[in-house]
């Protein structure tokens, strides 16, 4: 009754090829450029060279975009870990209005951020945060999914530990940061990776509030480069590769946490 | 799990003195409540600023004549009338959005196939899983750029493969064609999100108790039968979840469409979200765009509700039947 596996391998091999082909194609193009005049297009890279990557480095303020992206992502990640842990910790306590707060969080989850952009833009402009790192980070600084991930992680910690510390006279906020949070490293890791990926890839929001070229993040720079360079060159695809690699590397390193976070969030929602 | 952090609580056992119990509790309770709300405050403020107030503001804005340059005046349902009766593009865009949303089951079906295969004890399944999932966390803007390159009329890989297979004679300018642009964008979007569907479905598959299958096979059920009678019914919640992800994808597809087609040609790949963006931030018609945002949100809620009813109703009936 032991099933033969080669048909499964064959099918999965085909699926994998389809999933990988776009990545391969952009990598190939970034190394060889495009030859519109050569038909058929070469499937293997012919005379690969790294010059398009050099172009990107010198012709585009790539480093500037990178720094902007990193700054926004760091703000988002740090804020997420602290704010979500705090909110998650609060939700493990009994207090009047708890059910209403949870309901509020759950209903906020049903509002896609994209449908709020117009008022969100107006609010941010009233706050004077257009064109700023903080303005780009602010809407992403707390995530409901991650609040519930923290809540679940905190609830798994034995109550007696917290009680003991409290009776010992440790202030409540210190219990949270010094005793409880160090025990929930997996939740923190999940939150870090989710927040990072979301902020790293975020496009619509910076597009709406950033006017200044100096403040643009990588996705904005990428889309701007696409529209500036109408006849696309290899540099565009080299740019693509340079943008994709950090995200992919971080995903591959923290794949487990990322998937846990997504699925636990998904089953909650 | 607990390493190094247990030293503080360990000491307290001796110090459990019952001194001033009542007043201690009272003040403790007060401090605890303050702390709870202080801890909740930042998150609540962010959600109020960027979820709740915007939703209300959208509705208010949609009932006003408003622009950044002049004070607001009451407009009644003017924008809704314009939207429903005078803006031809609106209906095209709504139709595109619905097509985009209801194309989700195609991706879900494909993902289910992959999930079933990856769920089998084949060697290297983690590798396959990673490869399929890898397209999900990458930057959508980059995905858009890659795919518009794949769709290129002259040197795009897709046209080349179709010509080599003898399906077509000459390259199709997919993204410039009124007929092909939307399906082309949808395919790219499915390519990106399929890994997420697969992960959700895998989680669902792994929560099905294996002894159900054993019992079914002892009873002489064929694999197809146990798929229909066990797997599908028990997978209903996961499938519903995938569908919600698919609907939400019609919002996040903004990045993809902005890069690949910019909504064109004409409005043939404009979704509500991209049309809202261009009305608000290109034409400065914030009030009109707000009215369309309200419509977009209602469409989203209606479809999610419908899917929920379908999933819930069906799941119940099948359970009873089995």
């Amino acid at each position: 009754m032991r099933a033969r596996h080669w048909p499964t391998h064959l099918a999965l091999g085909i699926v994998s090829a389809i999933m990988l082909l776009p990545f391969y194609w952009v990598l190939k193009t970034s190394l060889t450029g495009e030859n519109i005049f050569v038909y058929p297009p070469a499937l293997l890279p012919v005379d690969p060279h790294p010059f398009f990557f050099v172009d990107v480095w010198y012709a585009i303020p790539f480093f500037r975009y990178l720094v902007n992206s990193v700054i926004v992502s760091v703000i988002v990640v740090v804020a997420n870990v602290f704010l979500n842990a705090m909110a998650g910790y609060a939700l493990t306590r009994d207090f009047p209005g708890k059910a209403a707060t949870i309901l509020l969080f759950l209903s906020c989850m049903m509002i896609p951020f994209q449908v709020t952009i117009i008022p969100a833009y107006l609010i941010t402009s009233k706050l004077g945060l257009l064109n700023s790192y903080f303005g780009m980070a602010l809407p992403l600084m707390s995530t409901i999914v991650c609040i519930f991930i923290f809540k679940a992680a905190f609830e798994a910690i034995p109550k007696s530990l917290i009680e003991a510390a409290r009776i010992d006279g440790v202030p409540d906020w210190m219990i949270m940061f010094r005793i409880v949070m160090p025990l929930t490293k997996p939740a923190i890791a999940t939150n870090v990776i989710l927040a990072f990926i979301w902020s790293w890839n975020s496009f619509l929001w910076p597009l709406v509030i950033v006017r200044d070229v100096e403040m643009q993040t990588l996705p904005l720079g990428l889309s701007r480069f696409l529209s500036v360079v109408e006849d696309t060159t290899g540099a565009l695809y080299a740019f693509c590769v340079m943008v994709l690699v950090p995200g992919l590397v971080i995903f591959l390193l923290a794949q487990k946490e990322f998937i846990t976070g997504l699925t636990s969030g998904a089953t909650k929602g | 799990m607990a390493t190094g952090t247990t030293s503080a609580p360990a000491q307290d056992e001796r110090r459990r003195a019952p001194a001033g119990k009542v007043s201690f509790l009272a003040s403790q309770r007060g401090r605890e409540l303050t702390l709870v709300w202080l801890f909740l405050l930042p998150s609540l403020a962010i959600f109020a600023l960027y979820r709740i107030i915007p939703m209300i503001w959208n509705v208010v804005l949609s009932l006003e004549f408003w622009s950044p340059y002049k004070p607001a005046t009451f407009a009644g349902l003017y924008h809704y009338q314009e939207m429903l009766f005078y803006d031809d593009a609106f209906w095209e865009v709504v139709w595109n959005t619905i097509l985009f949303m209801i194309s989700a089951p195609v991706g879900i079906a494909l993902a289910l196939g992959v999930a079933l295969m990856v769920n089998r004890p084949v060697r290297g399944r983690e590798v396959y899983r990673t490869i399929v999932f890898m397209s999900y966390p990458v930057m959508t803007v980059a995905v858009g750029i890659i795919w518009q390159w794949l769709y290129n009329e002259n040197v795009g890989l897709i046209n080349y493969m179709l010509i080599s297979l003898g399906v077509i004679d000459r390259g199709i300018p997919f993204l410039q064609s009124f007929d092909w642009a939307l399906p082309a964008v949808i395919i790219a979007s499915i390519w990106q999100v399929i890994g997420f569907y697969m992960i959700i479905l895998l989680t669902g598959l792994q929560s099905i108790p294996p002894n159900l299958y054993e019992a079914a096979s002892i009873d002489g059920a064929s694999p197809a039968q146990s798929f229909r009678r066990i797997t599908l019914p028990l997978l209903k919640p996961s499938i519903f979840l995938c569908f919600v992800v698919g609907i939400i994808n019609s919002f996040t597809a903004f990045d993809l469409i902005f890069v690949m087609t910019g909504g064109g040609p004409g409005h043939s790949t404009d979704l509500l979200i991209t049309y809202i963006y261009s009305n608000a931030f290109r034409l400065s018609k914030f009030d009109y765009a707000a009215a369309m945002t309200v419509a977009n949100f209602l469409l989203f809620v209606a479809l999610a509700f419908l899917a929920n009813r379908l999933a819930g109703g069906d799941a119940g009936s099948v359970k009873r039947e089995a």
Side-chain angles (χ1 to χ4, degrees):
Chain A
M1 185 69 202
R2 193 99 184 106
R4 278 168 307 152
H5 286 319
W6 69 263
T8 315
H9 277 295
L10 183 68
L12 283 173
I14 293 172
V15 171
S16 305
I18 295 173
M19 297 311 286
L20 286 177
L21 212 53
F23 288 117
Y24 168 72
W25 200 244
V26 73
L27 185 65
K28 191 215 87 172
T29 313
S30 73
L31 289 170
T32 60
E34 60 165 20
N35 290 314
I36 317 182
F37 308 107
V38 179
Y39 192 88
L43 291 180
L44 294 171
V46 183
D47 303 330
H49 59 79
F51 300 130
F52 291 119
F53 290 89
V54 182
D55 281 355
V56 171
W57 195 260
Y58 288 107
I60 306 162
F62 180 84
F63 188 70
R64 181 79 219 182
Y65 297 147
L66 182 71
V67 168
N68 291 341
S69 266
V70 168
I71 292 175
V72 174
S73 296
V74 167
I75 300 176
V76 169
V77 166
V78 172
N80 256 284
V81 170
F82 281 97
L83 300 187
N84 295 340
M86 279 156 57
Y89 184 68
L91 288 183
T92 60
R93 299 305 189 75
D94 284 319
F95 59 95
K98 180 178 173 180
T101 311
I102 290 181
L103 191 68
L104 184 79
F105 281 160
L106 288 177
S107 33
C108 279
M109 245 168 127
M110 284 298 286
I111 304 176
F113 179 68
Q114 285 84 355
V115 306
T116 65
I117 44 164
I118 295 167
Y121 167 78
L122 298 175
I123 289 170
T124 311
S125 106
K126 281 218 159 68
L127 294 173
L129 291 174
L130 293 184
N131 243 330
S132 71
Y133 294 127
F134 192 67
M136 277 189 261
L138 189 56
L140 296 169
M141 276 177 21
S142 181
T143 320
I144 297 156
V145 170
C146 297
I147 292 179
F148 285 112
I149 291 174
F150 268 117
K151 177 174 179 274
F154 291 151
E155 273 163 355
I157 293 174
K159 275 261 171 1
S160 56
L161 186 66
I162 298 166
E163 279 307 311
R166 193 174 304 156
I167 289 162
D168 206 31
V170 182
D172 232 346
W173 59 270
M174 211 197 264
I175 294 181
M176 145 90 191
F177 288 114
R178 302 290 296 276
I179 295 171
V180 175
M181 262 183 93
L183 295 178
T184 52
K185 288 210 180 83
I188 296 175
T190 301
N191 199 343
V192 167
I193 178 81
L194 281 182
F196 173 78
I197 298 268
W198 282 330
S199 111
W200 187 256
N201 294 345
S202 156
F203 175 65
L204 175 57
W205 181 239
L207 178 72
V208 166
I209 70 159
V210 173
R211 290 280 165 271
D212 199 347
V213 181
E214 286 287 288
M215 292 298 289
Q216 287 186 327
T217 53
L218 280 171
L220 286 183
L222 192 54
S223 92
R224 184 160 167 273
F225 190 47
L226 175 71
S227 57
V228 170
V229 194
E230 269 300 327
D231 55 329
T232 47
T233 64
L236 176 65
Y237 302 101
F239 194 171
C240 254
V241 171
M242 289 164 78
V243 167
L244 286 176
V245 165
L248 273 180
V249 167
I250 288 174
F251 159 69
L252 290 175
L253 288 178
Q255 195 190 165
K256 204 176 113 243
E257 284 77 15
F258 185 65
I259 289 176
T260 325
L262 279 181
T263 48
S264 68
T267 43
K268 281 264 159 43
Chain B
M1 209 163 83
T3 46
T5 45
T6 45
S7 58
Q11 294 176 333
D12 78 284
E13 291 299 317
R14 246 162 276 136
R15 295 212 282 152
R16 209 173 274 217
K21 210 171 188 182
V22 177
S23 70
F24 170 75
L25 261 181
S27 73
Q28 178 75 9
R29 182 77 185 141
R31 264 187 302 170
E32 193 181 321
L33 283 181
T34 323
L35 185 91
V36 160
W37 287 110
L38 272 181
F39 271 16
L40 280 172
L41 192 69
S43 299
L44 282 177
I46 290 170
F47 299 138
L49 268 182
Y50 286 103
R51 300 284 151 122
I52 299 161
I53 297 175
M55 281 315 285
I56 301 165
W57 199 340
N58 262 328
V59 177
V60 173
L61 203 55
S62 72
L63 301 173
E64 283 177 345
F65 293 112
W66 189 92
S67 84
Y69 318 109
K70 55 176 193 279
T73 51
F74 185 67
L77 295 176
Y78 178 89
H79 297 303
Y80 290 96
Q81 276 174 332
E82 184 187 345
M83 182 173 92
L84 296 175
F85 303 117
Y86 301 106
D87 186 351
D88 294 336
F90 174 75
W91 287 109
E92 192 184 346
V93 167
V94 167
W95 180 236
N96 289 344
T97 311
I98 292 176
L99 279 181
F100 202 98
M101 287 173 170
I102 61 176
S103 72
V106 179
I108 298 171
L110 291 171
L112 181 58
V114 178
L116 286 170
M117 287 190 288
V118 176
N119 199 34
R120 302 179 67 185
V122 293
R123 194 175 301 167
R125 48 192 258 191
E126 287 84 9
V127 178
Y128 290 125
R129 198 190 61 187
T130 306
I131 290 174
V132 175
F133 187 62
M134 212 162 71
S135 58
Y136 180 70
V138 303
M139 191 181 288
T140 313
V141 174
V143 170
I145 291 178
I146 297 176
W147 276 86
Q148 58 97 26
W149 180 227
L150 290 172
Y151 280 129
N152 184 289
E153 181 183 358
N154 300 311
V155 281
L157 184 62
I158 291 172
N159 270 316
Y160 171 64
M161 291 204 309
L162 289 176
I163 294 173
S164 310
L165 292 172
V167 182
I168 49 173
D169 301 328
R170 286 193 304 126
I172 300 173
F174 285 102
L175 297 176
Q176 287 79 43
S177 140
F178 280 89
D179 297 325
W180 286 107
L182 187 63
V185 172
I186 288 177
I187 288 172
S189 160
I190 288 178
W191 177 82
Q192 190 180 15
V193 81
I194 194 169
F196 190 22
Y197 292 152
M198 176 200 69
I199 292 290
I200 296 175
L201 293 170
L202 259 183
T203 317
L205 282 175
Q206 280 158 5
S207 69
I208 299 176
N211 55 11
L212 283 182
Y213 292 108
E214 281 160 30
S217 76
I218 288 166
D219 285 349
S222 69
Q225 275 173 325
S226 46
F227 175 74
R228 254 200 23 241
R229 294 299 173 91
I230 301 173
T231 314
L232 268 188
L234 289 176
L235 219 49
K236 278 251 160 79
S238 308
I239 292 174
F240 164 67
L241 206 66
C242 287
F243 189 65
V244 173
V245 169
I247 305 177
I248 292 177
N249 204 33
S250 72
F251 295 106
T252 44
F254 175 89
D255 306 10
L256 205 59
I257 289 165
F258 186 89
V259 172
M260 283 177 80
T261 63
H267 287 289
S268 58
T269 55
D270 250 336
L271 301 186
L272 273 166
I273 185 69
T274 57
Y275 194 52
I276 288 167
Y277 172 83
S278 27
N279 268 286
F281 297 102
R282 293 230 170 93
L283 308 175
S284 282
K285 289 159 78 177
F286 285 92
D287 41 9
Y288 184 49
M292 285 194 288
T293 306
V294 173
N296 194 8
F297 185 65
L298 291 179
L299 184 66
F300 161 65
V301 172
L303 261 180
F305 182 73
L306 195 75
N308 193 10
R309 283 297 291 273
L310 283 177
D314 275 339
S317 71
V318 174
K319 233 175 242 159
R320 244 171 278 129
E321 188 189 309

